[in-house]
Amino acid sequence: MPRKYFDQKLADLNRSMKEMGAVVDRRIGETMEALKNLDKDLAAEVVGGDREINQVEHEIESVCMNLLALQQPIATDLRVIASCLKIITDVERVADQCADICDIIQAGEIPAQSSVVNHVVQMLETAGAMFEKAMDAFIARDVELARQVCGMDDQVDAMFSKIVLEVCGTITENPQSVMKEVDLMFITKYIERMGDHATNIAEWVVYMETGVHPDLNDGRI
Amino acid sequence: MPRKYFDQKLADLNRSMKEMGAVVDRRIGETMEALKNLDKDLAAEVVGGDREINQVEHEIESVCMNLLALQQPIATDLRVIASCLKIITDVERVADQCADICDIIQAGEIPAQSSVVNHVVQMLETAGAMFEKAMDAFIARDVELARQVCGMDDQVDAMFSKIVLEVCGTITENPQSVMKEVDLMFITKYIERMGDHATNIAEWVVYMETGVHPDLNDGRI
């Protein structure tokens, strides 16, 4: 495969990654809307669209495998392709988490007009911003931006701990509502994981550009 | 790189994967013991050992990258190496989940002598068996065994739902204990994810051997 053709293929791969990121960005936005308004129809759409993302993941994976087989890349090219292979898993999992949250919204047991729900929406907003920034860092090959994403994860973790305490308080006051509140707790856990996946993506960007793994979160995700 | 030398390198990679799996198997066993006896010291050991697994993950990753660069493998060889790159992430995450569970045990808030704890231990036993079987399937390149692992995930999911209901019942009866019970809920969630990661590993085994992604769980992990 001549170099020019290979560069074209790498550019195509980059564009596919950008498109996949944009689709998942939209899913996060829709999940936020569905959560704000406890909108079951919108939630159903997000759940229904999950297979599409899995399909895109496998398509990009197959492009990466072909590039590895046909071009036999080395050094930076190899790191870029291997990083794409890893990043698509994290991107796909963020979409899974949107679908998991929307599954719960669809079941319709979340308490309406709760101040906790507002905090959960804010947390989702922050995790969503982390994801968007992580994908921007990937597209722009921007190590500095990637490091910023990792720094934001502490914020999401702090929000998580605060919401868990709030939910526990609500349950103590009104133990009959425990099932609904537990749903909210799991949603919060899914959002915390989104932040971890965004951090993972950012770490892959650092590896891709520097060849060194940063392990900027404590390695647990 | 001559074929014989490459085969030697692939055998080394296989052995490293087997060793990593065995270490994580032990971690699951230790986590089970720590949970049964609410043993904070053992829990601290599991938490302390987590960095070691991250290190092993990066070592194997680097072996895979070198094989991709130096040997420029195609077809089955390429699928094996790419699958290893993916599987080590799932293996490492199972170790993370052990550490996450042990973090909670260390904090010392889990209610002792609870029947729910026994059920959580049983669930961990099942998820642990899934993980062991998934790694066995990888080592033996056994597609049939891999498919069995995927079938076991329903069992873990059913245990998860049952325990969540049990915990909610306990909270309703004794709302003051909500913080402790919520800890147990998160532990149960971590174990449910272990089952998902074992399923992922099994799916990679099927892909590695057949070239086709099974998506045997519904694609959400």
Side-chain angles (χ1 to χ4, degrees):
Chain A
M1 200 190 278
R3 179 75 219 182
K4 200 177 153 193
Y5 183 70
F6 181 62
D7 283 340
Q8 182 56 47
K9 288 284 167 199
L10 276 185
D12 288 349
L13 173 61
N14 217 39
R15 199 173 45 249
S16 301
M17 295 289 290
K18 195 175 173 178
E19 280 169 12
M20 187 186 185
V23 172
V24 176
D25 252 343
R26 273 202 300 282
R27 290 289 148 85
I28 297 173
E30 286 161 359
T31 303
M32 203 144 35
E33 280 309 301
L35 189 57
K36 256 185 212 164
N37 309 312
L38 301 181
D39 181 339
K40 291 188 192 183
D41 293 335
L42 187 54
E45 271 180 46
V46 174
V47 172
D50 194 53
R51 285 235 159 246
E52 179 199 333
I53 302 280
N54 297 344
Q55 188 56 39
V56 173
E57 183 195 11
H58 290 326
E59 277 164 21
I60 295 182
E61 187 184 287
S62 150
V63 169
C64 292
M65 294 293 277
N66 281 335
L67 282 176
L68 287 174
L70 299 178
Q71 177 65 18
Q72 307 180 327
I74 54 166
T76 308
D77 290 339
L78 177 57
R79 282 211 305 276
V80 167
I81 297 168
S83 298
C84 285
L85 266 178
K86 290 287 200 170
I87 286 174
I88 50 174
T89 306
D90 286 296
V91 175
E92 191 270 333
R93 284 183 191 173
V94 170
D96 282 349
Q97 277 136 15
C98 288
D100 285 331
I101 292 170
C102 285
D103 262 343
I104 298 178
I105 297 170
Q106 258 196 302
E109 294 295 334
I110 298 172
Q113 294 164 321
S114 132
S115 76
V116 183
V117 173
N118 292 338
H119 296 160
V120 177
V121 171
Q122 279 164 24
M123 185 182 168
L124 180 51
E125 213 158 355
T126 310
M130 277 180 77
F131 174 77
E132 202 181 345
K133 228 179 241 253
M135 290 307 288
D136 285 350
F138 168 78
I139 300 299
R141 310 282 191 258
D142 185 337
V143 172
E144 199 33 60
L145 190 60
R147 290 191 196 279
Q148 280 175 32
V149 172
C150 302
M152 287 169 79
D153 200 36
D154 289 343
Q155 222 174 313
V156 171
D157 288 346
M159 285 167 137
F160 172 72
S161 303
K162 211 177 140 220
I163 291 171
V164 168
L165 278 179
E166 269 184 284
V167 174
C168 285
T170 313
I171 294 174
T172 312
E173 278 168 30
N174 183 13
Q176 297 310 318
S177 73
V178 61
M179 289 292 288
K180 296 181 178 190
E181 299 294 340
V182 161
D183 277 346
L184 217 46
M185 199 92 88
F186 284 134
I187 288 181
T188 313
K189 189 71 195 162
Y190 288 128
I191 300 173
E192 187 230 21
R193 285 179 59 200
M194 277 188 193
D196 289 338
H197 286 296
T199 305
N200 267 14
I201 294 169
E203 288 188 358
W204 280 108
V205 174
V206 176
Y207 169 75
M208 192 169 78
E209 292 301 298
T210 66
V212 177
H213 273 288
D215 261 339
L216 291 171
N217 67 10
D218 70 349
R220 301 240 200 111
I221 152 86
Chain B
M1 200 190 278
R3 179 74 218 183
K4 200 177 154 193
Y5 184 68
F6 181 61
D7 283 340
Q8 182 56 48
K9 288 284 166 198
L10 276 185
D12 289 349
L13 173 61
N14 217 39
R15 198 173 45 248
S16 300
M17 295 288 291
K18 194 175 174 177
E19 280 168 12
M20 186 186 186
V23 172
V24 176
D25 251 344
R26 274 202 300 282
R27 289 290 148 86
I28 297 173
E30 286 161 359
T31 303
M32 202 143 37
E33 279 310 300
L35 188 58
K36 255 186 213 163
N37 310 314
L38 301 181
D39 181 338
K40 291 187 192 184
D41 293 335
L42 187 54
E45 270 179 46
V46 174
V47 172
D50 194 52
R51 285 236 158 246
E52 181 199 333
I53 302 279
N54 297 344
Q55 190 56 39
V56 173
E57 183 194 10
H58 290 326
E59 278 164 21
I60 296 181
E61 188 183 287
S62 150
V63 169
C64 291
M65 294 294 276
N66 282 335
L67 282 176
L68 287 174
L70 300 178
Q71 177 64 19
Q72 308 182 324
I74 54 165
T76 309
D77 289 340
L78 177 57
R79 283 210 305 275
V80 168
I81 298 169
S83 298
C84 285
L85 267 178
K86 290 288 200 168
I87 287 173
I88 49 174
T89 306
D90 286 296
V91 175
E92 192 269 334
R93 285 183 189 174
V94 170
D96 282 350
Q97 278 136 13
C98 289
D100 285 331
I101 293 169
C102 285
D103 263 342
I104 297 178
I105 297 170
Q106 258 196 300
E109 294 294 334
I110 297 172
Q113 295 164 321
S114 132
S115 76
V116 182
V117 173
N118 292 339
H119 294 161
V120 177
V121 171
Q122 279 164 22
M123 185 180 168
L124 181 52
E125 212 158 354
T126 309
M130 276 180 77
F131 174 77
E132 202 181 344
K133 227 180 239 255
M135 291 307 289
D136 286 349
F138 168 78
I139 300 300
R141 310 282 191 258
D142 185 335
V143 172
E144 198 34 59
L145 190 60
R147 290 191 196 279
Q148 278 174 33
V149 172
C150 301
M152 286 169 79
D153 200 35
D154 289 344
Q155 221 175 312
V156 171
D157 287 347
M159 286 167 138
F160 172 72
S161 303
K162 210 176 140 221
I163 291 171
V164 168
L165 279 180
E166 268 184 286
V167 174
C168 285
T170 313
I171 294 173
T172 312
E173 278 169 29
N174 183 12
Q176 297 310 320
S177 74
V178 61
M179 290 292 288
K180 296 182 179 191
E181 299 294 340
V182 160
D183 277 346
L184 216 46
M185 199 92 87
F186 283 134
I187 289 181
T188 314
K189 188 73 194 160
Y190 287 128
I191 301 172
E192 187 229 21
R193 285 179 60 200
M194 278 188 190
D196 289 339
H197 286 297
T199 304
N200 267 13
I201 295 169
E203 288 189 358
W204 280 108
V205 173
V206 176
Y207 169 75
M208 193 169 80
E209 291 303 296
T210 65
V212 177
H213 273 290
D215 262 339
L216 291 171
N217 67 9
D218 71 350
R220 299 241 200 111
I221 151 84

